[in-house]
Amino acid sequence: MIKLLSLLALLWVYMAVVGATHTADLSRKSFPKGFLFGTATSAYQVEGMASKGGRGPSIWDEFIKTPGAYFSFFKHLLEDINLMVNLNFDAYRFSISWSRIFPNGTGKVNRKGVAYYNRLINYMLRKGITPYANLNHYDLPLALENKYLGWLSHDVVKDYADYAEFCFKTFGDRVKNWMTFNEPRVVAALGYDNGFFAPGRCSKAYGNCTAGNSATEPYIVTHNLILSHAAAVQRYRQKYQEKQKGRIGILLDFVWYEPLTRSKADNYAAQRARDFHVGWFLHPLVYGEYPKTMQNIVKDRLPKFTKEEVKMVKGSFDLIGINQYTTYYMYDPHTSPPKDLGYQADWNVGFAYERKGVPIGPRTKLYEEDILCVQAYSNWLYNVPWGLHKAIMYIKERYGNPTVILAENGMDDPGNLTMSKALHDTTRINYYKGYLAALKQSVDEGANVVGYFAWSLLDNFEWRIGYTSRFGIVYVDFKTLKRTPKMSAYWFKKILRKNK
Ligand code: GAL
């Protein structure tokens, strides 16, 4: 027993020392001059006031049926920006709610909504925080879902581009960093393949949905999302970019997929997964077509870009945002795909979370009564910093080293954690240390990454799991909305100190 204990102690010391050499001296200076640090949020997750201020409903209000109940960034706007300044952040990635600007998706403008974003942007600039504005974070106006089934219709392309253009025209004199969409893959996969997210459509075989077709709809939706993105970029480039001198891009989620074994079959499985995941969007944007693997597997169900569309889509970005949280092993299941066709089924891969009994990274430990969450609360979230390095290097090698921002990264605690435990978030600090060290390594190895955004500034509304999860570096009391920085916020404050 004593032997075992001393061995454990030795191991602990070793881990601490090894960890320390990688991360102890991490600071702003570890990154190139001008590298930006920020935090990210999205409109639906923090704004609240869902049915107030002239806002029209979005598909998420319909999906969850309890419009963003308690949150109100609105009333805390100045306080939250002051917080960012206080914590030494340089930038803030927020999203604009389409239905707060156009309550019906098109047509009449809600001036109160415009005034809100003007106030937000102006105050940020006054305080020296650089705005990164994202035009859509899952929240399509419900009116367009009702009118023509939203993303499933090609009609959305023009309506989206009109909305985007309104934003360029109205805010572009001050906003110089635009993102068209956050995680469009999640919209297509969770909204139309398994029905987990709004608008909750899928085939019977893949979820509890009243309508949908997992075999075709995810692909149609992605096609329309890519065309919407490209149409908005075209408007920006033709009419605003030269004068406003900004840049525009898209935010893509990217789980790293590592082959489970060194077999050829597992390597192919991992590559298929990457192609179906980030390649689904990045391949058309860089090369003008969907990845060959997808073309071969999805065949006629995969829409094609016309010659004109290829011209518009190819090269339609100045920067790419990558949201990176976690990593999984992939293996070839050595079976044919299921007879019910679907987007996830098309990958025909197996997911694994350990190799020879060793987990890919620490994950949620079971909570018992009062036991503190040892890792992330979300069960999909394994802490695997080396996966971030691989993901970034993959984008560099495969897609011509584009300008990248690491646009989301972070971990959550359970929502019902007592405040004092939630504030003592050393696990989150370790998570950030590991991932920032991996990011630094990628930059040192030549990846063109120019900024990092932590998800999230605040504990907020975590989509399907609502307020049961806390991703913030700042604690929010969900009843009073009082904000209290956690230890991780002070850790950021320390490493981001600027030289006077
Ligand atoms: C991202 C999403 C965010 C946030 C985060 C944590 O996929 O863009 O809105 O919820 O995950 O799950």
Side-chain angles (χ1 to χ4, degrees):
M1 185 65 184
I2 291 180
K3 240 187 177 167
L4 184 73
L5 280 178
S6 48
L7 215 98
L8 278 175
L10 253 172
L11 190 73
W12 187 82
V13 171
Y14 171 75
M15 301 278 282
V17 171
V18 170
T21 48
H22 283 306
T23 56
D25 45 2
L26 206 62
S27 78
R28 188 182 276 287
K29 280 198 253 117
S30 319
F31 292 83
K33 206 164 169 266
F35 192 94
L36 279 183
F37 288 89
T39 56
T41 66
S42 87
Y44 198 71
Q45 292 173 279
V46 301
E47 278 181 5
M49 302 272 286
S51 51
K52 299 205 179 108
R55 178 183 177 277
S58 84
I59 52 174
W60 269 89
D61 296 299
E62 174 68 16
F63 190 61
I64 60 164
K65 293 275 171 27
T66 47
Y70 347 100
F71 247 76
S72 190
F73 192 88
F74 256 78
K75 299 196 181 101
H76 294 258
L77 191 132
L78 308 188
E79 179 190 345
D80 287 344
I81 292 164
N82 290 341
L83 249 174
M84 297 169 206
V85 176
N86 222 300
L87 298 174
N88 291 331
F89 285 106
D90 316 303
Y92 177 43
R93 198 201 117 190
F94 64 101
S95 82
I96 297 178
S97 154
W98 180 348
S99 63
R100 199 179 286 291
I101 303 276
F102 291 104
N104 294 313
T106 59
K108 198 168 171 319
V109 173
N110 171 30
R111 290 288 154 199
K112 278 192 192 155
V114 174
Y116 166 69
Y117 291 112
N118 271 328
R119 220 152 61 83
L120 172 69
I121 293 162
N122 291 344
Y123 194 70
M124 281 166 69
L125 290 175
R126 180 129 69 84
K127 289 293 188 173
I129 297 281
T130 305
Y132 275 66
N134 166 29
L135 292 165
N136 187 259
H137 198 120
Y138 306 164
D139 49 353
L140 178 82
L142 182 63
L144 303 183
E145 185 69 24
N146 294 340
K147 190 165 163 194
Y148 49 60
L149 283 184
W151 304 120
L152 276 170
S153 165
H154 186 268
D155 289 354
V156 79
V157 176
K158 180 180 176 299
D159 288 348
Y160 175 80
D162 287 346
Y163 153 65
E165 178 164 357
F166 178 86
C167 293
F168 303 144
K169 195 161 60 190
T170 312
F171 309 118
D173 56 332
R174 287 150 295 150
V175 172
K176 305 299 170 192
N177 296 280
W178 290 104
M179 308 309 285
T180 53
F181 286 102
N182 176 75
E183 302 190 351
R185 192 199 72 88
V186 168
V187 173
L190 276 68
Y192 299 83
D193 188 42
N194 62 22
F196 237 68
F197 273 20
R201 295 175 64 91
C202 62
S203 302
K204 280 256 153 22
Y206 293 115
N208 186 17
C209 309
T210 49
N213 182 343
S214 307
T216 54
E217 290 188 359
Y219 298 109
I220 297 168
V221 162
T222 285
H223 205 68
N224 288 330
L225 285 164
I226 292 175
L227 291 174
S228 302
H229 156 83
V233 173
Q234 191 178 50
R235 301 256 190 120
Y236 187 62
R237 288 189 168 163
Q238 285 176 354
K239 294 167 83 170
Y240 302 93
Q241 190 163 39
E242 208 184 327
K243 187 149 169 264
Q244 298 183 346
K245 305 211 171 0
R247 52 185 183 174
I248 188 162
I250 189 166
L251 302 154
L252 304 175
D253 63 305
F254 190 14
V255 169
W256 177 250
Y257 297 114
E258 183 72 7
L260 180 62
T261 73
R262 290 161 67 183
S263 74
K264 226 183 197 163
D266 286 358
N267 268 289
Y268 283 143
Q271 187 54 43
R272 267 200 309 284
R274 295 173 206 135
D275 283 337
F276 270 91
H277 198 124
V278 80
W280 196 8
F281 292 85
L282 207 43
H283 222 85
L285 263 54
V286 175
Y287 302 116
E289 60 172 355
Y290 292 114
K292 283 275 173 343
T293 37
M294 291 190 72
Q295 295 183 33
N296 294 337
I297 292 168
V298 189
K299 300 201 172 74
D300 295 352
R301 288 178 290 127
L302 191 65
K304 281 197 180 57
F305 297 107
T306 64
K307 276 211 180 90
E308 273 310 298
E309 288 168 351
V310 170
K311 273 196 221 144
M312 192 170 79
V313 168
K314 198 171 162 183
S316 61
F317 62 91
D318 305 315
L319 77 167
I320 297 290
I322 296 292
N323 296 351
Q324 221 289 325
Y325 290 86
T326 200
T327 292
Y328 306 135
Y329 292 124
M330 283 289 114
Y331 62 90
D332 188 315
H334 295 291
T335 53
S336 27
K339 66 175 191 330
D340 289 301
L341 296 174
Y343 162 71
Q344 184 64 62
D346 283 334
W347 298 25
N348 196 26
V349 297
F351 284 73
Y353 310 100
E354 54 176 54
R355 192 188 252 166
K356 295 185 181 146
V358 181
I360 193 160
R363 199 191 67 166
T364 319
K365 293 264 166 42
L366 284 182
Y367 307 101
E368 286 159 33
E369 288 169 291
D370 211 21
I371 295 184
L372 188 61
C373 175
V374 190
Q375 290 294 329
Y377 172 64
S378 283
N379 58 8
W380 52 267
L381 216 170
Y382 292 77
N383 180 345
V384 192
W386 57 260
L388 176 132
H389 172 247
K390 290 212 175 188
I392 294 292
M393 298 316 277
Y394 177 85
I395 305 265
K396 169 181 184 282
E397 301 302 332
R398 209 166 182 96
Y399 292 108
N401 204 9
T403 303
V404 164
I405 54 169
L406 206 292
E408 267 184 42
N409 174 240
M411 59 156 279
D412 59 342
D413 293 317
N416 62 3
L417 213 56
T418 60
M419 177 168 160
S420 63
K421 280 186 178 160
L423 294 181
H424 196 87
D425 60 339
T426 48
T427 311
R428 181 174 285 104
I429 296 178
N430 280 331
Y431 177 96
Y432 280 129
K433 275 186 184 167
Y435 276 78
L436 275 169
L439 185 65
K440 172 185 161 44
Q441 185 191 350
S442 320
V443 174
D444 290 348
E445 291 171 14
N448 190 12
V449 185
V450 299
Y452 173 89
F453 292 78
W455 184 275
S456 178
L457 176 70
L458 304 167
D459 290 336
N460 60 44
F461 179 79
E462 179 55 14
W463 305 111
R464 252 187 100 96
I465 59 171
Y467 294 99
T468 65
S469 143
R470 295 179 176 275
F471 265 98
I473 59 169
V474 173
Y475 180 87
V476 177
D477 180 321
F478 290 139
K479 289 207 184 76
T480 61
L481 299 184
K482 184 172 169 352
R483 277 84 162 134
T484 313
K486 303 179 189 175
M487 268 173 77
S488 56
Y490 291 111
W491 178 78
F492 270 112
K493 181 179 167 103
K494 195 174 89 202
I495 69 156
L496 298 183
R497 233 183 342 232
K498 291 170 196 159
N499 288 336
K500 288 273 154 59

